[in-house]
Amino acid sequence: MNDGLCEVTETATIVEAGAPTVILTADTTVCEGSTVTLTASGADSYTWTPGTYLNTTTGSTVECVPTGMITYTVQGTTAGCSSVETVTINVSPLPTADFSSDVLFYDVNFTDLSANGTSWSWSFGDGGTSTNQNPSYT
């Protein structure tokens, strides 16, 4: 029944915000002393832990110089909802080159005394080379 009064209808749409899906740079291995850039996406704001960073820890990208093996955590937040993602950085020590040599007439036997080496590149000064760990050269 309409008495000449106005009828008003209002509709509201409620959107439930879910936790953001934070996508983070993949786990990696770097050399000691390297600068690593970590980038996250999928949220409006970010909080990074642990440690010391070369720039702000509230943006989607941070730079760090990790030591040892370390796991970084980022918390991404959108509309009050948060999710957490981690990345592990393994730091390989720098190699240290060292060797000894024994000379017998024209033959030289080289012995590798290096630390943390995984491949070798010898240059003997006359154009001769070797990739053996402990080469002999005439």
Side-chain angles (χ1 to χ4, degrees), residues 101-114:
S101 60
D102 292 319
V103 179
L104 181 60
F105 298 105
Y106 294 103
D107 295 325
V108 181
N109 296 313
F110 295 92
T111 302
D112 173 39
L113 303 174
S114 302

Side-chain angles (χ1 to χ4, degrees), residues 65-86:
V65 180
T67 57
M69 186 174 88
I70 186 166
T71 299
Y72 293 99
T73 301
V74 62
Q75 177 178 341
T77 303
T78 299
C81 297
S82 297
S83 66
V84 174
E85 185 66 41
T86 62

Side-chain angles (χ1 to χ4, degrees), residues 13 16-17 21 28 35 37 41 45 48 51 54 58 67 76 80 91 96 101 113 115 118 128 131 133 136:
T13 303
E16 183 177 329
T21 300
T28 191
T35 299
T37 301
S41 62
S45 66
W48 296 86
L54 302 176
T58 57
T67 57
V91 180
T96 303
S101 60
L113 303 174
T118 58
T131 57
Q133 183 175 3
S136 294

